[in-house]
Amino acid sequence: MSSDAKPERRISQDIRPAELGSLDWSPEHARQSLDLIYQHVIGVASQAISWYLTARGPKRRWAQRLRVGAIIMVAVAGVLPVLSQIFGAGSSVKIQPAWAAVALAIAVSLVALDRFFGFSSAWARYMATGQAISAALNQFRLDWQQSSCQLPVGGLPEESIDNLLDLAKTLVRKTDDLVQAETSQWVKEFRETLTEIERSAQTQDK
């Protein structure tokens, strides 16, 4: 989860946990409390999904621009030596083959920028994480409905309440685990990129 202006993290704000106030689990209010739990966990997962859907847009656009630019520069580098032969001696147009090296250098720079800011990798992570949370949310909704339809008309047995609460905890835990895994992957990739840059700088100084 990130911003385009600095090393990839945060769009406008972090994913923040929603507050869940005190609930009344007396027999006459148990169903209402379960409804509040349901809405709470749905909101937690939906907020995370919305974050990733919003965050992946800028990453996708920058990744596509940089990668397409790199592809074009590689193609130009391959064509320039041929053009220099076509427009060789006797032609009024002169194309120096050395421009191919310049085009390749630009292509490498564009790919390096993509890697440093993590546009392509972030785009892939955001898509995968958002889809995984969405799948967990869909599964939770189905499991909750299946358990709810088996509830008795009168008071709710403690076992039924515990079962529904376990479903809610599973979804929240799954959402937190997926977000944490994505964040850890970002930290790992960013550190590796910094290490490569420092190693390259040290090599050039020697």
Side-chain angles (χ1 to χ4, degrees):
M1 297 169 283
S2 47
S3 88
D4 293 328
K6 51 181 76 173
E8 183 216 321
R9 206 78 319 204
R10 306 303 168 257
I11 296 280
S12 58
Q13 62 179 14
D14 295 340
I15 296 177
R16 300 183 183 277
E19 295 292 335
L20 180 62
S22 299
L23 301 176
D24 186 353
W25 292 104
S26 58
E28 61 271 19
H29 293 101
R31 289 183 182 273
Q32 182 180 1
S33 295
L34 283 175
D35 289 340
L36 291 175
I37 290 288
Y38 178 82
Q39 295 300 328
H40 173 75
V41 297
I42 289 290
V44 170
S46 297
Q47 182 194 22
I49 294 170
S50 177
W51 197 100
Y52 283 108
L53 289 176
T54 302
R56 73 181 183 182
K59 299 301 179 184
R60 173 179 55 80
R61 290 191 292 271
W62 277 107
Q64 290 175 339
R65 291 168 184 170
L66 291 173
R67 292 293 176 168
V68 169
I71 292 172
I72 292 174
M73 287 297 102
V74 170
V76 169
V79 170
L80 282 175
V82 178
L83 293 179
S84 67
Q85 293 182 355
I86 294 176
F87 299 101
S91 174
S92 59
V93 179
K94 301 293 184 181
I95 298 178
Q96 296 296 330
W99 283 109
V102 175
L104 281 177
I106 294 174
V108 171
S109 298
L110 292 174
V111 173
L113 285 173
D114 184 24
R115 290 193 60 191
F116 177 75
F117 289 105
F119 294 127
S120 293
S121 61
W123 177 20
R125 290 199 319 273
Y126 291 176
M127 288 185 61
T129 305
Q131 290 173 355
I133 297 175
S134 180
L137 177 57
N138 291 335
Q139 185 64 49
F140 165 76
R141 283 172 168 154
L142 291 174
D143 291 342
W144 185 279
Q145 292 299 323
Q146 182 180 22
S147 298
S148 296
C149 71
Q150 300 173 0
L151 295 176
V153 177
L156 298 181
E158 183 177 342
E159 181 180 354
S160 299
I161 295 176
D162 289 341
N163 180 48
L164 290 171
L165 290 178
D166 285 340
L167 292 177
K169 288 190 293 183
T170 298
L171 176 61
V172 173
R173 187 182 301 114
K174 180 68 172 178
T175 300
D176 290 341
D177 289 345
L178 288 168
V179 172
Q180 181 59 43
E182 185 275 318
T183 303
S184 298
Q185 183 63 28
W186 168 78
V187 172
K188 178 181 177 182
E189 291 180 1
F190 187 63
R191 287 176 175 172
E192 290 176 349
T193 301
L194 289 180
T195 301
E196 291 180 8
I197 293 174
E198 292 175 357
R199 187 183 300 116
S200 177
Q202 292 173 357
T203 303
Q204 293 179 1
D205 290 339
K206 294 180 180 180

